[in-house]
Amino acid sequence: MKKLLSKARQAIKDFDMIQENDKIAVGLSGGKDSLTLLHILKNYQRFSPQKFELIAITLNPGA
């Protein structure tokens, strides 16, 4: 997890992906990719120099 968090932190910095007071929504499918992304962003939020809101969204396509 540390390696993924480090890579995500570097990408966020390099590409200026998160700004102060951003609201970031993560679409959760229940798969390991979306859950891992949410977990990484939640951990990043703890020590991020920018304060941002993180929201998890699930959709029911009416199945």
Side-chain angles (χ1 to χ4, degrees), residues 44-63:
Y44 176 74
Q45 190 178 37
R46 291 184 190 167
F47 60 84
S48 170
Q50 303 90 4
K51 300 301 174 205
F52 63 91
E53 187 177 345
L54 188 58
I55 304 164
I57 297 175
T58 58
L59 298 176
N60 181 353

Side-chain angles (χ1 to χ4, degrees), residues 8 10-19 22 24:
Q10 190 63 47
I12 290 166
K13 180 182 171 193
D14 288 350
F15 297 102
D16 201 24
M17 295 170 77
I18 297 178
Q19 303 296 318
D22 275 355
I24 300 171

